mmCIF file with all atom_site columns, all heavy atoms in Angstrom:
data_model
loop_
_atom_site.group_PDB
_atom_site.id
_atom_site.type_symbol
_atom_site.label_atom_id
_atom_site.label_alt_id
_atom_site.label_comp_id
_atom_site.label_asym_id
_atom_site.label_entity_id
_atom_site.label_seq_id
_atom_site.pdbx_PDB_ins_code
_atom_site.Cartn_x
_atom_site.Cartn_y
_atom_site.Cartn_z
_atom_site.occupancy
_atom_site.B_iso_or_equiv
_atom_site.pdbx_formal_charge
_atom_site.auth_seq_id
_atom_site.auth_comp_id
_atom_site.auth_asym_id
_atom_site.auth_atom_id
_atom_site.pdbx_PDB_model_num
ATOM 1   N N   . ILE U 1 79 ? 10.037 66.925 -14.177 1.00 96.00 ? 79 ILE U N   1
ATOM 2   C CA  . ILE U 1 79 ? 9.338  67.062 -12.898 1.00 96.00 ? 79 ILE U CA  1
ATOM 3   C C   . ILE U 1 79 ? 8.670  65.728 -12.579 1.00 96.00 ? 79 ILE U C   1
ATOM 4   O O   . ILE U 1 79 ? 7.901  65.209 -13.383 1.00 96.00 ? 79 ILE U O   1
ATOM 5   C CB  . ILE U 1 79 ? 8.267  68.167 -12.960 1.00 96.00 ? 79 ILE U CB  1
ATOM 6   C CG1 . ILE U 1 79 ? 8.927  69.501 -13.304 1.00 96.00 ? 79 ILE U CG1 1
ATOM 7   C CG2 . ILE U 1 79 ? 7.530  68.262 -11.632 1.00 96.00 ? 79 ILE U CG2 1
ATOM 8   C CD1 . ILE U 1 79 ? 7.964  70.647 -13.416 1.00 96.00 ? 79 ILE U CD1 1
ATOM 9   N N   . ALA U 1 80 ? 8.981  65.141 -11.458 1.00 96.00 ? 80 ALA U N   1
ATOM 10  C CA  . ALA U 1 80 ? 8.350  63.881 -11.079 1.00 96.00 ? 80 ALA U CA  1
ATOM 11  C C   . ALA U 1 80 ? 7.724  64.026 -9.708  1.00 96.00 ? 80 ALA U C   1
ATOM 12  O O   . ALA U 1 80 ? 8.069  64.936 -8.960  1.00 96.00 ? 80 ALA U O   1
ATOM 13  C CB  . ALA U 1 80 ? 9.374  62.756 -11.071 1.00 96.00 ? 80 ALA U CB  1
ATOM 14  N N   . ARG U 1 81 ? 6.788  63.126 -9.399  1.00 96.00 ? 81 ARG U N   1
ATOM 15  C CA  . ARG U 1 81 ? 6.098  63.280 -8.125  1.00 96.00 ? 81 ARG U CA  1
ATOM 16  C C   . ARG U 1 81 ? 5.689  61.946 -7.513  1.00 96.00 ? 81 ARG U C   1
ATOM 17  O O   . ARG U 1 81 ? 5.670  60.922 -8.182  1.00 96.00 ? 81 ARG U O   1
ATOM 18  C CB  . ARG U 1 81 ? 4.831  64.112 -8.312  1.00 96.00 ? 81 ARG U CB  1
ATOM 19  C CG  . ARG U 1 81 ? 3.773  63.369 -9.071  1.00 96.00 ? 81 ARG U CG  1
ATOM 20  C CD  . ARG U 1 81 ? 2.516  64.173 -9.183  1.00 96.00 ? 81 ARG U CD  1
ATOM 21  N NE  . ARG U 1 81 ? 1.736  64.131 -7.957  1.00 96.00 ? 81 ARG U NE  1
ATOM 22  C CZ  . ARG U 1 81 ? 0.534  64.700 -7.834  1.00 96.00 ? 81 ARG U CZ  1
ATOM 23  N NH1 . ARG U 1 81 ? 0.010  65.361 -8.856  1.00 96.00 ? 81 ARG U NH1 1
ATOM 24  N NH2 . ARG U 1 81 ? -0.130 64.614 -6.718  1.00 96.00 ? 81 ARG U NH2 1
ATOM 25  N N   . THR U 1 82 ? 5.360  61.988 -6.241  1.00 96.00 ? 82 THR U N   1
ATOM 26  C CA  . THR U 1 82 ? 4.717  60.850 -5.584  1.00 96.00 ? 82 THR U CA  1
ATOM 27  C C   . THR U 1 82 ? 3.320  61.306 -5.176  1.00 96.00 ? 82 THR U C   1
ATOM 28  O O   . THR U 1 82 ? 2.954  62.465 -5.371  1.00 96.00 ? 82 THR U O   1
ATOM 29  C CB  . THR U 1 82 ? 5.488  60.405 -4.337  1.00 96.00 ? 82 THR U CB  1
ATOM 30  O OG1 . THR U 1 82 ? 5.457  61.473 -3.391  1.00 96.00 ? 82 THR U OG1 1
ATOM 31  C CG2 . THR U 1 82 ? 6.931  60.074 -4.688  1.00 96.00 ? 82 THR U CG2 1
ATOM 32  N N   . PHE U 1 83 ? 2.545  60.385 -4.626  1.00 95.00 ? 83 PHE U N   1
ATOM 33  C CA  . PHE U 1 83 ? 1.150  60.700 -4.334  1.00 95.00 ? 83 PHE U CA  1
ATOM 34  C C   . PHE U 1 83 ? 0.850  60.548 -2.848  1.00 95.00 ? 83 PHE U C   1
ATOM 35  O O   . PHE U 1 83 ? 1.455  59.730 -2.149  1.00 95.00 ? 83 PHE U O   1
ATOM 36  C CB  . PHE U 1 83 ? 0.229  59.773 -5.123  1.00 95.00 ? 83 PHE U CB  1
ATOM 37  C CG  . PHE U 1 83 ? 0.435  59.874 -6.605  1.00 95.00 ? 83 PHE U CG  1
ATOM 38  C CD1 . PHE U 1 83 ? 1.351  59.061 -7.252  1.00 95.00 ? 83 PHE U CD1 1
ATOM 39  C CD2 . PHE U 1 83 ? -0.257 60.807 -7.350  1.00 95.00 ? 83 PHE U CD2 1
ATOM 40  C CE1 . PHE U 1 83 ? 1.561  59.165 -8.609  1.00 95.00 ? 83 PHE U CE1 1
ATOM 41  C CE2 . PHE U 1 83 ? -0.050 60.920 -8.707  1.00 95.00 ? 83 PHE U CE2 1
ATOM 42  C CZ  . PHE U 1 83 ? 0.859  60.102 -9.341  1.00 95.00 ? 83 PHE U CZ  1
ATOM 43  N N   . GLN U 1 84 ? -0.134 61.341 -2.441  1.00 92.00 ? 84 GLN U N   1
ATOM 44  C CA  . GLN U 1 84 ? -0.561 61.318 -1.045  1.00 92.00 ? 84 GLN U CA  1
ATOM 45  C C   . GLN U 1 84 ? -1.043 59.910 -0.660  1.00 92.00 ? 84 GLN U C   1
ATOM 46  O O   . GLN U 1 84 ? -0.613 59.355 0.329   1.00 92.00 ? 84 GLN U O   1
ATOM 47  C CB  . GLN U 1 84 ? -1.702 62.321 -0.913  1.00 92.00 ? 84 GLN U CB  1
ATOM 48  C CG  . GLN U 1 84 ? -1.999 62.748 0.479   1.00 92.00 ? 84 GLN U CG  1
ATOM 49  C CD  . GLN U 1 84 ? -3.043 63.854 0.459   1.00 92.00 ? 84 GLN U CD  1
ATOM 50  O OE1 . GLN U 1 84 ? -3.223 64.551 -0.536  1.00 92.00 ? 84 GLN U OE1 1
ATOM 51  N NE2 . GLN U 1 84 ? -3.748 64.007 1.541   1.00 92.00 ? 84 GLN U NE2 1
ATOM 52  N N   . ASN U 1 85 ? -1.954 59.354 -1.482  1.00 91.00 ? 85 ASN U N   1
ATOM 53  C CA  . ASN U 1 85 ? -2.337 57.957 -1.304  1.00 91.00 ? 85 ASN U CA  1
ATOM 54  C C   . ASN U 1 85 ? -1.536 57.198 -2.355  1.00 91.00 ? 85 ASN U C   1
ATOM 55  O O   . ASN U 1 85 ? -1.672 57.477 -3.520  1.00 91.00 ? 85 ASN U O   1
ATOM 56  C CB  . ASN U 1 85 ? -3.817 57.742 -1.585  1.00 91.00 ? 85 ASN U CB  1
ATOM 57  C CG  . ASN U 1 85 ? -4.647 58.862 -1.032  1.00 91.00 ? 85 ASN U CG  1
ATOM 58  O OD1 . ASN U 1 85 ? -4.588 59.137 0.153   1.00 91.00 ? 85 ASN U OD1 1
ATOM 59  N ND2 . ASN U 1 85 ? -5.385 59.529 -1.901  1.00 91.00 ? 85 ASN U ND2 1
ATOM 60  N N   . ILE U 1 86 ? -0.757 56.263 -1.914  1.00 93.00 ? 86 ILE U N   1
ATOM 61  C CA  . ILE U 1 86 ? 0.152  55.560 -2.824  1.00 93.00 ? 86 ILE U CA  1
ATOM 62  C C   . ILE U 1 86 ? -0.585 55.122 -4.083  1.00 93.00 ? 86 ILE U C   1
ATOM 63  O O   . ILE U 1 86 ? -1.659 54.556 -4.024  1.00 93.00 ? 86 ILE U O   1
ATOM 64  C CB  . ILE U 1 86 ? 0.734  54.324 -2.119  1.00 93.00 ? 86 ILE U CB  1
ATOM 65  C CG1 . ILE U 1 86 ? 1.465  54.772 -0.871  1.00 93.00 ? 86 ILE U CG1 1
ATOM 66  C CG2 . ILE U 1 86 ? 1.656  53.557 -3.052  1.00 93.00 ? 86 ILE U CG2 1
ATOM 67  C CD1 . ILE U 1 86 ? 2.012  53.646 -0.053  1.00 93.00 ? 86 ILE U CD1 1
ATOM 68  N N   . ARG U 1 87 ? -0.005 55.456 -5.239  1.00 95.00 ? 87 ARG U N   1
ATOM 69  C CA  . ARG U 1 87 ? -0.625 55.038 -6.505  1.00 95.00 ? 87 ARG U CA  1
ATOM 70  C C   . ARG U 1 87 ? 0.361  54.232 -7.320  1.00 95.00 ? 87 ARG U C   1
ATOM 71  O O   . ARG U 1 87 ? 0.782  54.641 -8.386  1.00 95.00 ? 87 ARG U O   1
ATOM 72  C CB  . ARG U 1 87 ? -1.072 56.261 -7.298  1.00 95.00 ? 87 ARG U CB  1
ATOM 73  C CG  . ARG U 1 87 ? -2.210 57.000 -6.653  1.00 95.00 ? 87 ARG U CG  1
ATOM 74  C CD  . ARG U 1 87 ? -2.655 58.130 -7.517  1.00 95.00 ? 87 ARG U CD  1
ATOM 75  N NE  . ARG U 1 87 ? -3.596 57.667 -8.507  1.00 95.00 ? 87 ARG U NE  1
ATOM 76  C CZ  . ARG U 1 87 ? -4.682 58.350 -8.862  1.00 95.00 ? 87 ARG U CZ  1
ATOM 77  N NH1 . ARG U 1 87 ? -4.943 59.496 -8.299  1.00 95.00 ? 87 ARG U NH1 1
ATOM 78  N NH2 . ARG U 1 87 ? -5.483 57.883 -9.774  1.00 95.00 ? 87 ARG U NH2 1
ATOM 79  N N   . LEU U 1 88 ? 0.727  53.077 -6.817  1.00 97.00 ? 88 LEU U N   1
ATOM 80  C CA  . LEU U 1 88 ? 1.584  52.188 -7.588  1.00 97.00 ? 88 LEU U CA  1
ATOM 81  C C   . LEU U 1 88 ? 0.714  51.438 -8.595  1.00 97.00 ? 88 LEU U C   1
ATOM 82  O O   . LEU U 1 88 ? -0.508 51.439 -8.490  1.00 97.00 ? 88 LEU U O   1
ATOM 83  C CB  . LEU U 1 88 ? 2.271  51.193 -6.656  1.00 97.00 ? 88 LEU U CB  1
ATOM 84  C CG  . LEU U 1 88 ? 3.353  51.785 -5.754  1.00 97.00 ? 88 LEU U CG  1
ATOM 85  C CD1 . LEU U 1 88 ? 3.768  50.783 -4.701  1.00 97.00 ? 88 LEU U CD1 1
ATOM 86  C CD2 . LEU U 1 88 ? 4.550  52.229 -6.571  1.00 97.00 ? 88 LEU U CD2 1
ATOM 87  N N   . PHE U 1 89 ? 1.373  50.788 -9.564  1.00 97.00 ? 89 PHE U N   1
ATOM 88  C CA  . PHE U 1 89 ? 0.643  49.901 -10.467 1.00 97.00 ? 89 PHE U CA  1
ATOM 89  C C   . PHE U 1 89 ? 0.560  48.554 -9.757  1.00 97.00 ? 89 PHE U C   1
ATOM 90  O O   . PHE U 1 89 ? 1.440  47.719 -9.856  1.00 97.00 ? 89 PHE U O   1
ATOM 91  C CB  . PHE U 1 89 ? 1.359  49.809 -11.812 1.00 97.00 ? 89 PHE U CB  1
ATOM 92  C CG  . PHE U 1 89 ? 1.610  51.162 -12.430 1.00 97.00 ? 89 PHE U CG  1
ATOM 93  C CD1 . PHE U 1 89 ? 2.879  51.612 -12.713 1.00 97.00 ? 89 PHE U CD1 1
ATOM 94  C CD2 . PHE U 1 89 ? 0.535  52.006 -12.713 1.00 97.00 ? 89 PHE U CD2 1
ATOM 95  C CE1 . PHE U 1 89 ? 3.098  52.858 -13.273 1.00 97.00 ? 89 PHE U CE1 1
ATOM 96  C CE2 . PHE U 1 89 ? 0.744  53.262 -13.266 1.00 97.00 ? 89 PHE U CE2 1
ATOM 97  C CZ  . PHE U 1 89 ? 2.028  53.686 -13.545 1.00 97.00 ? 89 PHE U CZ  1
ATOM 98  N N   . LYS U 1 90 ? -0.525 48.368 -9.034  1.00 95.00 ? 90 LYS U N   1
ATOM 99  C CA  . LYS U 1 90 ? -0.594 47.330 -7.994  1.00 95.00 ? 90 LYS U CA  1
ATOM 100 C C   . LYS U 1 90 ? -0.347 45.915 -8.488  1.00 95.00 ? 90 LYS U C   1
ATOM 101 O O   . LYS U 1 90 ? 0.352  45.147 -7.849  1.00 95.00 ? 90 LYS U O   1
ATOM 102 C CB  . LYS U 1 90 ? -1.975 47.377 -7.326  1.00 95.00 ? 90 LYS U CB  1
ATOM 103 C CG  . LYS U 1 90 ? -2.221 48.617 -6.521  1.00 95.00 ? 90 LYS U CG  1
ATOM 104 C CD  . LYS U 1 90 ? -3.458 48.425 -5.661  1.00 95.00 ? 90 LYS U CD  1
ATOM 105 C CE  . LYS U 1 90 ? -3.903 49.723 -5.021  1.00 95.00 ? 90 LYS U CE  1
ATOM 106 N NZ  . LYS U 1 90 ? -4.552 50.638 -5.991  1.00 95.00 ? 90 LYS U NZ  1
#
Side-chain angles (χ1 to χ4, degrees):
Chain U
I79 300 179
R81 71 177 281 184
T82 64
F83 301 90
Q84 198 174 337
N85 320 303
I86 301 177
R87 292 184 85 139
L88 289 169
F89 306 120
K90 292 193 190 74

